[in-house]
Amino acid sequence: MGDVTILKFGGTSVADAAAFTRVVTIVRRHGGPRPVVVVSALAGMTDALFAGAAAGAEGDVARAGRIVADQLDRHAGVGRSLLSGDAAVSFHDQLAQARQELAGLLDGLAGRVGDAAALRDEIVSYGERLSSSLLAGALAAAGVATRVVDARRCVITDETHGGATPLPADTECRMRAELVPLLEAALVPVLAGYIAATLSGRTTTLGRGGSDYTAALVGAALDAREIQIWTDVSGVLTADPRVVPSARPIPRLSYAEAAELAYFGAKVLHPKTIEPATARQIPVRICNSLAPDDPGTVVAADAAVWPGAVKAIAHKTGLTVLQIASTRMLGAYGFLRALFEVFDRHRTVVDVVTTSEVSVSLTLEDARALPAIVSELRALGEVSVEPHRAIVCVVGEGLRTTPGIAARIFTTIQDINVSLISQGASRVNLTFVVAEDRVYEAVRRLHEACFERERASTGGDAAIGRAAS
Ligand code: ADP
Ligand code: ASP
Ligand code: MG
């Protein structure tokens, strides 16, 4: 279906009744002939449900109940503003049922009845289940013929609660079976992002921020013409705006550039979003629901090389660096296999790896299994552990082939200790590790050197202006 447009709205785009009203206008204006809508939970709802679940798990059922009740009251208020007649009654009933079911699930967590991770997924799923009903109601109230689709009938995953992996064939098949008949009947499907189910029907989730990924999976299954990610910034910016307030939108990124940025910390896109879009060559557009006419960022197969090559700087904190040194590595094979098998056994993802003749350094984000990993690695060599590290990732097509970039970058932050430099593994990034307490400073200085000085010296938006053309 070449004329399908996926529109995904993040939590801040559906924070309150006024935000829902803006979303309805966006679906009408930007959804093309066949829109499919994917929606996140209301801003703050997923955090609150996790907090409620944590309180429940600690046995504080009263506090858990209060957290959940506040959120449900908030939904009731949004419902009262947006819905009337039968739709209002049916949403009221859905809230009453959610109240009852959530109380049972929180009791289950407190009494340790059942698998806690599975219960947590069930609890947090109410965020998207309620927001999708509200959005479908708001669209219907505005005269858009719509239908809520339970995402758990469409996105089928393995059983890894909290961060499940979709089963591609089942997901594509179910997605088409659920959505194509609705599109053929000229109805606008509204799906919850983030939530999914196993083949046996148990609720799972795709990991925090996973609604972007749902949108990409829907887009791939329907061979959409475009996947639009509507958020609270006007596209992917040259750096995280919370760290660099002067960061600016990037008009166009290649899939490779966007994937690296998302993976190395640009929260605006869930790291797995780009893969399904790349597989089907579907453009992904990142837009601002508060400024819908801003051009945003288009992510597609090709993108220009910018003067100076750097297009954005991402960063990710909370990492641990491990170094394993062993002279047994010299001239031996099988060492790296044995080393990575340790991480495999503990289901721990390694982000960046560098090697010398006698040592391997690598970064981990998930340090839950660290003690066990370190004790197994000691059988292979000497192990050192550096906590509180951060990755900085400089991204741009042409980075590998533009002379002088590494020198410019490292001169800019020459008084900050840099370790684990990786360039060339991908054609579009240069990645390195610094101490966590210096990372903001490193990012700000690099941003100034790569973008702001250039702009100041030309009196205009030199790099960005030329790249957009
Ligand atoms: P949503 O609720 O719409 O999914 P998110 O909070 O997940 O929104 O993502 C948008 C946020 O990502 C922005 O408000 C911004 O603070 C943060 N962000 C981090 N890095 C970047 C970047 N390079 N470009 C744009 N936004 C970024
Ligand atoms: N509501 C989920 C979260 O807060 C998913 C998302 O927003 O993409 O993580
Ligand atoms: Mg998000």
Side-chain angles (χ1 to χ4, degrees):
M1 288 196 141
D3 55 357
V4 173
T5 305
I6 315 300
L7 299 97
K8 176 260 164 177
F9 296 94
T12 46
S13 301
V14 290
D16 51 27
F20 272 96
T21 307
R22 279 195 295 275
V23 164
V24 170
T25 309
I26 291 170
V27 172
R28 289 186 135 153
R29 290 218 185 122
H30 299 267
R34 288 189 209 262
V36 176
V37 177
V38 175
V39 64
S40 293
L42 271 60
M45 172 65 164
T46 309
D47 285 343
L49 290 171
F50 271 113
E58 286 161 14
D60 194 344
V61 179
R63 192 159 68 87
R66 276 196 304 277
I67 294 172
V68 166
D70 283 351
Q71 289 296 327
L72 295 181
D73 292 348
R74 175 182 166 214
H75 282 70
V78 176
R80 274 194 298 276
S81 304
L82 294 174
L83 312 174
S84 57
D86 287 352
V89 173
S90 123
F91 186 65
H92 183 269
D93 292 348
Q94 189 184 355
L95 275 179
Q97 199 177 340
R99 220 175 272 272
Q100 210 174 36
E101 289 169 359
L102 279 164
L105 291 163
L106 291 167
D107 276 346
L109 263 181
R112 307 201 185 286
V113 184
D115 171 1
L119 284 173
R120 243 189 329 266
D121 270 351
E122 195 67 44
I123 290 169
V124 299
S125 74
Y126 282 86
E128 270 72 8
R129 284 155 69 181
L130 294 171
S131 65
S132 49
S133 295
L134 277 173
L135 183 50
L139 283 164
V144 180
T146 177
R147 189 65 53 83
V148 185
V149 179
D150 189 337
R152 295 170 298 174
R153 294 171 61 86
C154 299
V155 185
I156 308 302
T157 69
D158 68 6
E159 316 218 328
T160 316
H161 289 285
T165 301
L167 309 177
D170 294 287
T171 297
E172 181 161 341
C173 175
R174 297 273 201 103
M175 200 95 85
R176 293 186 63 83
E178 292 285 331
L179 300 179
V180 171
L182 299 182
L183 290 167
E184 282 172 352
L187 292 165
V188 176
V190 178
L191 276 94
Y194 178 56
I195 68 174
T198 62
L199 274 171
S200 62
R202 296 212 70 177
T203 301
T204 53
T205 55
L206 302 178
R208 294 306 305 268
S211 298
D212 301 333
Y213 189 25
T214 304
L217 292 168
V218 178
L222 298 177
D223 212 0
R225 90 188 158 98
E226 185 168 87
I227 298 162
Q228 299 174 358
I229 306 290
W230 290 88
T231 181
D232 61 350
V233 282
S234 292
V236 180
L237 309 182
T238 46
D240 185 334
R242 294 164 297 184
V243 175
V244 182
S246 58
R248 344 199 67 227
I250 306 164
R252 204 173 164 87
L253 286 169
S254 65
Y255 290 125
E257 289 171 324
E260 297 287 352
L261 286 172
Y263 193 71
F264 288 111
K267 187 184 171 226
V268 66
L269 279 180
H270 183 276
K272 293 185 182 163
T273 312
I274 295 301
E275 198 267 328
T278 314
R280 294 280 159 90
Q281 299 279 293
I282 303 169
V284 179
R285 187 186 291 274
I286 295 93
C287 315
N288 189 347
S289 65
L290 296 162
D293 295 324
D294 282 2
T297 299
V298 177
V299 181
D302 55 335
V305 175
W306 278 13
V310 177
K311 236 172 249 175
I313 302 156
H315 70 278
K316 186 151 108 175
T317 53
L319 303 179
T320 304
V321 169
L322 290 185
Q323 189 180 53
I324 304 97
S326 167
T327 43
R328 280 170 40 208
M329 254 182 98
L330 258 182
Y333 53 82
F335 184 88
L336 287 176
R337 180 175 52 75
L339 190 141
F340 283 110
E341 274 172 2
V342 174
F343 296 96
D344 199 28
R345 271 197 294 284
H346 293 283
R347 303 173 64 97
T348 295
V349 178
V350 170
D351 286 330
V352 181
V353 186
T354 58
T355 62
S356 77
E357 284 90 340
V358 291
S359 70
V360 179
S361 294
L362 41 84
T363 66
L364 307 179
E365 191 174 6
D366 175 2
R368 279 175 301 183
L370 193 60
I373 289 174
V374 169
S375 100
E376 286 185 36
L377 289 175
R378 289 224 162 95
L380 297 171
E382 248 175 68
V383 183
S384 70
V385 180
E386 297 169 19
H388 310 301
R389 304 282 118 179
I391 284 180
V392 176
C393 177
V394 178
V395 168
E397 289 285 350
L399 214 59
R400 193 157 64 182
T401 48
T402 308
I405 300 249
R408 189 162 161 219
I409 287 172
F410 294 123
T411 309
T412 307
I413 51 166
Q414 58 189 326
D415 56 320
I416 298 178
N417 189 29
V418 166
S419 63
L420 227 109
I421 300 169
S422 158
Q423 182 181 22
S426 126
R427 75 174 189 275
V428 300
N429 86 13
L430 189 161
T431 305
F432 54 89
V433 170
V434 297
E436 204 169 60
D437 59 3
R438 308 268 337 245
V439 69
Y440 291 172
E441 189 188 344
V443 170
R444 285 184 192 124
R445 268 153 65 177
L446 286 171
H447 193 270
E448 206 211 321
C450 294
F451 304 108
E452 293 163 47
R453 245 178 258 160
E454 215 157 330
R455 220 185 301 153
S457 67
T458 56
D461 206 356
I464 293 175
R466 257 178 283 154
S469 61

